[in-house]
Amino acid sequence: GNGDKQLSLEVGDAVYIQEVCEGKGVFPASFVHLREVIIEKRGNEEVVISAEMPLVKEMTTTLREWGSIWKQLFVRLMWDLMEWRSQLLSGTLPSDEFKELKQKVTSKIDYGNKILELDQVVRDENGNIMDPERASVISLFRAHEEATAKINERIKEEQTDHSGISARIQSSPTHSLYVFVRNFVCRIGEDSELFMSLYDPIKQAIISENYLVRWGSKGFPKEIDMLNNLKVVFTDLGNKDLSREKIFLICQIVRVGRMDLKETNSKKCTQGLRRPFGVAVMDISDIIKGKTECDEEKQFFIPFFPVVAENDFLHTLLNKATALRGDSGGQGLWVTMKALVGDIVQIRKEYPHLVDRSTVVARKLGFPEIIMPGDVRNDIYITLQGGDFDKYNKTTQKNVEVIMWVCDEEGKVIQNSICLGAGDKTVSEYRSVIYYQVKQPRWMETFKVAVPLEEMCKVHLRFMFRHRSSQESKDKSEKNFAMAFVRLMKDDGTVLQDGLHDLVVFKGDSKRMEDVHSYLSLPSTRHHHSDPHKVAVLSRSSSSVSGGGGLSVSSRDSFSISSLVCSTKLTQNVGLLGLLKWRTRPELLRDNLEKLKIIDGEEVVKFLQDTLDALFNIMMEHSQTDDYDILVFDALIYIIGLIADRKFQHFNTVLEAYIKQHFSATLAYKYPILRTLKALEYIFKFIVRSRMLYSQLYEGKEQAEFEESLRKLFESINNLMRTDYTTTLLLRVITHTYPEHIVHQPVLLSTFLSSLSSSILSQMDDRHYATYIETFTGTTDLVDFLMESFLLFKDLIGKHVYSSDWMAMIMVQNRVFLRAINTYADTMNQKFLNNNDFEVQLWNNYFHLAVAFITQESLQLQHFSPTKRNKILAKYGDMRRLIGFAIRDMWYKLGSHKICFIPGMVGPILEMTLIPEEELRRATIPIFFDMITCEHAHSGNFHKFENEIILKLDHEVEGGGGDERYMQLLETILLDCAAEKPTLRPQVQHFVSLVKGLLTRLLDYRTVMSDDSRNNRMSCTVNLLNFYKDINREGMYIRYLYKLRDLHLEGENYTEAAYTLLLHSRLLKWSDEMCSPQFEFHGSQTQRQLKETLYDTIIDYFDKGKMWEEAITLCKELAEQYENEIFDYELLSKRLEKQAKFYENIMKILRPKPDYFAVGYYGQGYPPFLRNKVFIHRGKEYERREDFQNQLMSQFPSAVRLNTTTIPGDDIRNSPLQYIQCFTVQPVLEIPPRLKNKPVPDQIINFYKSNYVQRFHYSRPVRKGPVDPNNEFASMWIERTTFTTVYKLPGILRWFETTLSPLENAIETMESTNEKILTMINQYQADWSLPINPLSMLLNGIVDPAVMGGFAKYEKAFFTEEYTQQHPEDRDKLLRLKDLIAWQIPLLGGGIKLHGKRVTDDLRPFHDRMEECFKQLKKKVEKEYGVRELPDLDERKSTRPRSMLRSIRQSIISISSLQGSECGTPTKPYADRYSSIFTCADK
């Protein structure tokens, strides 16, 4: 309900039950669901809050808000949300599932809000809605930034080609993929090894460690305990990895057994050989990017592709498999998988049901994007790339097996130092896959070398190459035929460089090759082999090694590996190593500190914790001197600057963690901290943490000194900000800190400044404001401060520095600004209101700021959903009312100074009053009357105010302001105010009437501007321009002329566009006066120049519209100016050439005649400018009525089409619906006087048949009296309707409304009847073979006593004393009608005479009766209206007509010439004219 004692409720609304009654109550108890609540005290008020979980409450309000918007299109997402809400309310979810569901819910809500353009919800780290009341402005701003980044990524992913990453996953820097191997189905018959990893098919590179599953020959894991427990997590993946175009999960299958499966005698076969068997590949891009939701129960099948030929290397087979779509015969892997967010520590905590301590972890080949402190890693990955081995004395190529050991300096093998894959035990020896008789095997096998850090400098890798035979007996006799080695650490202490290494292959005795002393001193890579420093070690032949213990370099064999070091303790950079181990070479410390800045940033951040430890240790150990102070400080600034770089921004968390958990330098706070502003945040964090540690250690010692140093620091910063270079310095700091983000983007700079100012102001209370204002010693300084503050606030409000969906941030800023504005307003009242101190510009700035504040989009509650509106009102109230009332109060305090703000403040105040808030309007509209009174008292009128309000009203209403209610309030309030001022009342009433008329038209105009109907837009535009013309507002009139012109050009209505511009040109004179201000948009021109330019454009439009007659008229006017006024004969000649071309076009180019259509808009459903009106529309070339009507109906899809042509009755006119009537009408030719009675060519006359027309006919047959079955024409009558438009067509529109008085209609009907008699007489005179029936019907229908010539009704209506007195202006028209009635008699006489000669005997009685009726009619008419005579028809010569067309045209011309004749005896010219009618046909 909506009464005083009624509640407006919907299902699901919460109500506070104050009382439960027995018996009848407001609601049946079964309809009410009781919920627990919490009652909070806020001041004197009790606030009732639901005790529901906050997330459930949020989901409830979200679903309600979405419900009214999403409809069917998004019902799936809402259904998900409702399902999840039920799950949360059940309270049965385990903690890990609850966390996961909460993440899904918040992500879905945020995504939905963004898609629907609703407000963004900012959340804390737990996913709860952040309370702006309890958060600082800066933290709120950062939360908005983070939320925007997440959701934009999600949107981008939804809208692009699915190469994006889900917002939930994007929000975390580390990601993981959980894989559970359910089964491996493959017919092998021997043991196998499954190497599973992640693979980038574009770069053809494996990106993770292998997960190794050893599978038995019987179809089970070799370790039966692992059955149903083959789980792995691929972790350390970063956003860069997820941004890869494609990611595959691959499995390389290696068979372990015989050389060839086909060999039957297994006893004689060599066993334990690792042979390639096949691969399995699956595209998991959508799963790992979070775009495909998959639970841990859904199983995926990954098909198996076998090795077909020996040169099918497993790595190359991977690329083929990605393109293959063949049938795998059911062989392959069955797995379940799930994308997880977070590193291994997080996912163990959040997904304990999936990932536990037994789950295998396969790390990324490379570092994660963030290396957290304490994450110690020391992995070296070796990949066997390939080789090229000569067969030497063998007849076939070798079956090469590579065996690798990790050895120390003595050649001793380091046990269990090789890991083939995650989940497998470490081994002491690695054996490669064997490719059968392949000269250039490509293994691409990766394994990990794990050696204790302290052993790294001693170890090397030794590779042995051996030919393997398929027969066991032969195989046993085979020995290693070559070897290679590589050290893991260089002489300078850096670890082996990442990348490809082409190793030197040595040959020699197998025992020698195992002797470390015979090879360790030799160069290991071909790069070193060619090194001039190592050349002496090798002989010139490069085939044997001098001092090499009998080993020689094999020039016919080659072997390459690649390495990748993932170590937080081993660096590949000499300079960084020197800094980390600075104590070993202290003399190089200064050099190493200086070199730090040129070390690659990635290498530095990788060793961030160790580097910071080293720097603070250097500082602590040299605290007594300042030798390294500046260098260490610069190094710190460099590192912090690196972290500030967008590339390394994820390391912020590492730095934070280091400061809180690992940092322990107690004297760092004494460091010079004024050297930089760029790294201020982290420098201060180091200082504060250092001071806290020092205080704990020495119980608050030196506290006073610390506080004094901080005070001096802030004083220095304060002085810095007071200098003339403040902005420059601030911008420099911002430039260094946010080089890409802010300075090169003004909007982001505004956002930064807005957040900064809001943050500062939010922490100020009244005491702070008062104290600060008192610091200004002089008035000038305070005025400058207030003016600059107002300008800054206005700038920040106007620039929309925050995205429109950052509602929480915007409202916090508004609340802060509102408080500041009101505080400053109080200061103005106290200090700058008196005459001596009054500052016009200051008050002007205040008013403009206040209006900008009140009119900003974010406060216009009427545009928001009820949910959003209620949220804002509950938390912030309606700030518009607060500032609006303040503006009103400030205005009335101005007193005599008000005149300074008229008309300048009229526009801003109007803008404020247009806000659709009733109380605000009632409070502020009276300001207008105050302005009227003020200006009237000052000037005796209020023209300035009136002109300004008309100008601004046009602009504001077009922009969306104002409504019917505003118009009512404006009228009521101003007239009520005027009632108290009798002297002003008439002028105010006139002003109100003017504004009301304008508002009505402007509101109509605004309504149709968004309409698809261009015609409606044109109609409203014409209404407005006519209004402005009537009230003599030339500037506005011209503005709308050009709007109309543009609409015509859009529709290619060139003729109408020309007529529109012609109206502008008529305001100009052929003079050299400068154009008045309203023509300013044409530049500074004289009226002649502008008029000439307009004529050129208009002529061009007329040419395009084929209206050459009009173009010629303008050409002549221009030619007159060129010839007789400015004497520019060159332009004259060009103009005459153009004119000549137009004449030629008239005669030679066919111009199709456009059809004209009458369109009636009936019913109350139409806007006022169409309602129950009839318009005549000019069709386009070749436009059929059906096409025109369809286009018309498309503009009014709900309209009902009327299929009759009669004028509808009141039932339809008063109906709330829309009805459309459309039919074709015929234009009535009006020949210009200069062409009358002249032999004019058809091309010329045809133009006037459809142009310059104002009258239109529509005829339809009607039946009267009894129907004669033998002669249907006997009872058929023709009803003719004539329409007259208000203006001639074509004109400034393609249509005009019809207007026709009853008297004009009677005249047109009589003219039409006489013309019809005349035409038929001509036809029957010319052709005696024509049937007599049509002539019989026409004559009888007129002379019949029941009709009385059709004019009896006219006599009763018009030929009365009463009508003559009421319509004195119609005197000439009445004479005209009488004249037409009188002329009908001789025409009828001629027709009846002709009929008597042609009639047959059977129709003779009919003719006789008709003659008798005519005699009575003639007697009556001649008595009343005088006698008219025509020559005897028998006098004409009876010869064949020369031109029937000419005869008909002559008749029309003759009828036209009757116009203007008077009653009385016919004059000679009239008789001659009629004579020509009857005689020309037979000349």
Side-chain angles (χ1 to χ4, degrees), residues 880-891:
R880 298 175 303 175
R881 291 173 62 182
L882 298 173
I883 191 80
F885 294 157
I887 293 169
R888 177 196 62 186
D889 296 343
M890 293 288 275
W891 171 264

Side-chain angles (χ1 to χ4, degrees), residues 767-1010:
R767 181 173 53 83
H768 289 123
Y769 277 112
T771 305
Y772 186 69
I773 286 168
E774 289 306 318
T775 61
F776 291 97
T777 52
T779 303
T780 307
D781 288 345
L782 180 55
V783 169
D784 288 347
F785 165 72
L786 291 173
M787 286 177 67
E788 286 172 9
S789 298
F790 290 160
L791 289 172
L792 174 66
F793 290 171
K794 186 170 183 289
D795 194 43
L796 294 176
I797 289 167
K799 279 186 176 171
H800 306 296
V801 293
Y802 302 120
S803 173
S804 60
D805 59 356
W806 286 25
M807 188 48 66
M809 193 73 210
I810 292 168
M811 295 310 290
V812 166
Q813 175 186 271
N814 284 338
R815 187 175 58 191
V816 169
F817 282 7
L818 178 60
R819 190 157 169 270
I821 292 166
N822 286 338
T823 304
Y824 295 158
D826 291 341
T827 304
M828 288 167 58
N829 283 330
Q830 292 165 20
K831 298 180 182 288
F832 303 110
L833 194 55
N834 297 328
N835 288 342
N836 297 335
D837 300 320
F838 190 74
E839 291 281 348
V840 174
Q841 193 55 48
L842 176 62
W843 282 81
N844 196 51
N845 283 9
Y846 165 79
F847 282 124
H848 279 88
L849 165 62
V851 172
F853 183 91
I854 199 174
T855 54
Q856 63 177 298
E857 288 175 28
S858 58
L859 293 182
Q860 306 317 308
L861 303 180
Q862 71 276 7
H863 298 150
F864 304 153
S865 67
T867 308
K868 178 175 176 178
R869 191 159 54 240
N870 293 337
K871 274 186 203 169
I872 292 173
L873 288 172
K875 193 170 273 296
Y876 306 100
D878 192 346
M879 295 188 206
R880 298 175 303 175
R881 291 173 62 182
L882 298 173
I883 191 80
F885 294 157
I887 293 169
R888 177 196 62 186
D889 296 343
M890 293 288 275
W891 171 264
Y892 286 123
K893 285 176 183 173
L894 285 172
S896 60
H897 299 298
K898 290 174 188 171
I899 195 65
C900 303
F901 302 97
I902 300 170
M905 279 306 297
V906 172
I909 298 293
L910 174 66
E911 206 178 338
M912 176 175 68
T913 62
L914 286 168
I915 293 170
E917 210 287 314
E918 185 91 1
E919 281 191 54
L920 182 62
R921 283 178 170 179
R922 288 185 179 278
T924 52
I925 287 176
I927 295 175
F928 288 149
F929 188 74
D930 196 49
M931 288 179 162
I932 289 171
T933 310
C934 183
E935 189 186 350
H936 192 270
H938 185 266
S939 312
N941 58 53
F942 51 92
H943 294 332
K944 285 183 184 175
F945 170 81
E946 184 179 293
N947 290 336
E948 189 70 10
I949 209 150
I950 286 172
L951 184 70
K952 298 297 184 189
L953 199 60
D954 184 282
H955 175 74
E956 292 300 331
V957 175
E958 189 177 346
D963 47 41
E964 294 280 346
R965 179 60 183 153
Y966 180 77
M967 191 160 63
Q968 294 165 8
L969 276 176
L970 189 71
E971 180 181 24
T972 307
I973 291 170
L974 289 182
L975 291 178
D976 287 349
C977 292
E980 299 171 13
K981 298 253 184 179
T983 53
L984 269 176
R985 191 185 303 160
Q987 290 154 282
V988 173
Q989 285 174 338
H990 174 264
F991 168 73
V992 169
S993 170
L994 187 73
V995 170
K996 194 175 175 186
L998 175 59
L999 258 174
T1000 303
R1001 290 166 175 80
L1002 285 172
L1003 291 173
D1004 283 345
Y1005 176 77
R1006 188 180 72 195
T1007 304
V1008 301
M1009 273 305 103
S1010 56

Side-chain angles (χ1 to χ4, degrees), residues 55 58 62 105-107 109-110 113 121-130 143 146-147 150:
L55 185 59
E58 185 188 356
T62 299
V105 166
T106 53
S107 176
I109 288 173
D110 295 346
N113 284 338
V121 179
V122 284
R123 308 179 185 280
D124 58 22
E125 60 273 12
N126 298 318
N128 298 319
I129 296 178
M130 189 179 277
E146 289 166 13
K150 286 181 192 175

Side-chain angles (χ1 to χ4, degrees), residues 305-552:
F305 297 94
V307 167
V308 179
E310 277 301 331
N311 59 357
D312 274 352
F313 305 121
L314 287 177
H315 192 266
T316 54
L317 188 60
L318 284 174
N319 301 323
K320 291 180 184 175
T322 59
L324 291 174
R325 289 289 179 269
D327 182 16
S328 66
Q331 298 187 102
L333 274 168
W334 288 93
V335 299
T336 58
M337 63 185 94
K338 186 177 180 67
L340 307 178
V341 176
D343 57 23
I344 189 63
V345 177
Q346 283 175 274
I347 60 178
R348 277 185 179 144
K349 197 182 293 180
E350 294 183 15
Y351 306 95
H353 62 299
L354 298 181
V355 183
D356 54 28
R357 294 290 168 187
S358 67
T359 306
V360 175
V361 177
R363 301 196 74 167
K364 174 182 166 183
L365 291 183
F367 281 107
E369 287 181 14
I370 293 183
I371 307 157
M372 291 303 289
D375 182 8
V376 178
R377 188 172 178 188
N378 196 35
D379 299 326
I380 300 177
Y381 296 97
I382 302 295
T383 301
L384 297 192
Q385 290 285 332
D388 188 344
F389 301 98
D390 195 79
K391 61 184 178 181
Y392 290 98
N393 55 357
K394 289 189 176 289
T395 54
T396 56
Q397 297 295 341
K398 292 186 175 74
N399 309 322
V400 178
E401 179 183 61
V402 183
I403 309 151
M404 193 206 81
W405 299 271
V406 181
C407 304
D408 62 13
E409 291 171 312
E410 301 300 321
K412 183 181 173 185
V413 173
I414 297 174
Q415 298 299 309
N416 301 322
S417 55
I418 302 170
C419 182
L420 299 183
D424 197 43
K425 294 171 185 173
T426 52
V427 294
S428 305
E429 177 185 86
Y430 169 77
R431 289 178 178 267
S432 73
V433 168
I434 300 162
Y435 289 97
Y436 188 72
Q437 295 182 355
V438 173
K439 183 177 186 295
Q440 296 175 322
R442 287 193 71 228
W443 291 283
M444 305 303 288
E445 296 176 45
T446 301
F447 48 88
K448 182 167 70 177
V449 173
V451 180
L453 194 60
E454 60 276 8
E455 300 288 329
M456 283 298 294
C457 57
K458 303 174 187 175
V459 300
H460 65 278
L461 307 180
R462 183 170 71 205
F463 302 90
M464 289 291 183
F465 307 102
R466 185 179 176 190
H467 168 72
R468 299 303 301 267
S469 173
S470 57
Q471 298 298 317
E472 189 178 14
S473 55
K474 289 183 182 178
D475 189 64
K476 284 181 179 178
S477 62
E478 292 290 347
K479 295 180 180 178
N480 300 331
F481 66 84
M483 67 86 62
F485 79 99
V486 67
R487 289 179 177 275
L488 291 182
M489 195 170 274
K490 298 183 189 174
D491 296 339
D492 58 15
T494 59
V495 75
L496 185 67
Q497 289 287 338
D498 292 347
L500 193 67
H501 306 281
D502 194 358
L503 302 188
V504 178
V505 179
F506 296 99
K507 292 178 68 69
D509 180 69
S510 60
K511 293 287 184 186
R512 290 279 185 190
M513 287 191 289
E514 291 175 9
D515 183 2
V516 71
H517 301 294
S518 63
Y519 64 78
L520 203 53
S521 59
L522 302 176
S524 60
T525 64
R526 290 185 183 273
H527 171 67
H528 284 151
H529 187 183
S530 58
D531 191 330
H533 297 293
K534 299 272 187 177
V535 145
V537 183
L538 302 173
S539 67
R540 289 190 180 277
S541 68
S542 290
S543 59
S544 63
V545 184
S546 57
L551 297 185
S552 60

